[in-house]
């Protein structure tokens, strides 16, 4: 439940604090139960707020779910960007860091798959699907940047293949209980990037094109 400290009668509550508290608790509940696994009445009772308070801040359960998923996407992207930045300038190290972070997440006791893609699967149309598409686009942008740093010919196509490996690893870890899925996906992604780079034409000093062999 949301803990609310008693205040003197007539003292206004901080709306931003209330919204943040609702969002934090709803994030946990909706991840554990799914969008359809808990109704508004139970959600409010568990959080310790009235329906009026919930609707005043979010308008509807659907908008609350959208806000939860968007906030989660923002956190994940910060986490991914931090992992890439900490890995240094080498694109192969950056790519490895993305998958190493994924493996750590898969190992958390509360791991239940990707909340955003889970929600979009439950509600194929509507806010959840829109957030999921944006979330995948944002992850794709990170991988495109890595592929460009590796100087591959088609960074978009290469990044899409790496995103498929990343997303697939999370599905395997969740539904197949494969604790090694992220490591296997990392090896495949690194091999993919090496292959894409080795087939990238390079211009020699005489202007002729050749492919790398590194």
């Amino acid at each position: 439940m949301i803990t609310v400290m008693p205040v003197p009668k007539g003292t206004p509550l901080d709306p931003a604090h209330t919204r943040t508290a609702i969002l934090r608790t709803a994030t946990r509940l909706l991840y554990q139960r799914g969008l359809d696994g808990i109704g508004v009445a139970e959600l409010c009772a568990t959080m310790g707020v009235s329906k009026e308070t919930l609707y005043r801040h979010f308008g509807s359960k659907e908008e609350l779910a959208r806000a939860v998923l968007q906030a989660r996407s923002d956190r994940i992207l910060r986490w991914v960007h931090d992992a890439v930045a900490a890995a240094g300038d080498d694109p192969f190290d950056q790519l490895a860091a993305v998958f190493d972070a994924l493996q750590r997440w898969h190992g958390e006791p509360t791991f239940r798959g990707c909340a955003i893609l889970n929600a979009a699967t439950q509600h194929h149309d509507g806010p959840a699907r829109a957030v999921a598409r944006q979330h995948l686009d944002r992850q794709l942008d990170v991988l495109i940047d890595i592929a460009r740093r590796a100087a591959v010919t088609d960074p978009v196509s290469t990044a899409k293949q790496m995103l498929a490996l990343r997303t697939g690893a999370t599905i395997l870890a969740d539904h197949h209980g494969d604790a090694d899925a992220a490591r296997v996906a990392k090896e495949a992604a690194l091999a993919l990037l090496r292959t894409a780079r080795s087939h990238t034409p390079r211009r020699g000093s005489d202007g002729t094109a050749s492919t790398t062999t590194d």
Side-chain angles (χ1 to χ4, degrees), residues 1 5-6 24-25 34 36-37 39 45 79 82 98 101 114 119 128 144 148 150 152 160 162 183 192 201 206:
M1 294 180 63
M5 296 299 292
R24 182 173 57 249
T25 307
D36 296 331
W79 163 63
D82 287 347
V98 168
C114 176
I144 289 173
R148 282 178 176 153
V152 303
K160 285 181 178 179
M162 294 189 295
R183 183 191 62 78
L192 171 67
D206 59 356

Side-chain angles (χ1 to χ4, degrees), residues 75-115:
R75 282 198 306 275
I76 290 171
L77 264 294
R78 286 195 298 270
W79 163 63
V80 171
H81 281 295
D82 287 347
V84 170
D89 295 330
D90 183 85
F92 290 90
D93 290 341
Q94 292 173 347
L95 184 59
V98 168
F99 284 88
D100 288 342
L102 193 68
Q103 185 163 21
R104 290 192 295 273
W105 174 43
H106 292 173
E108 293 178 1
T110 57
F111 172 72
R112 296 174 62 87
C114 176

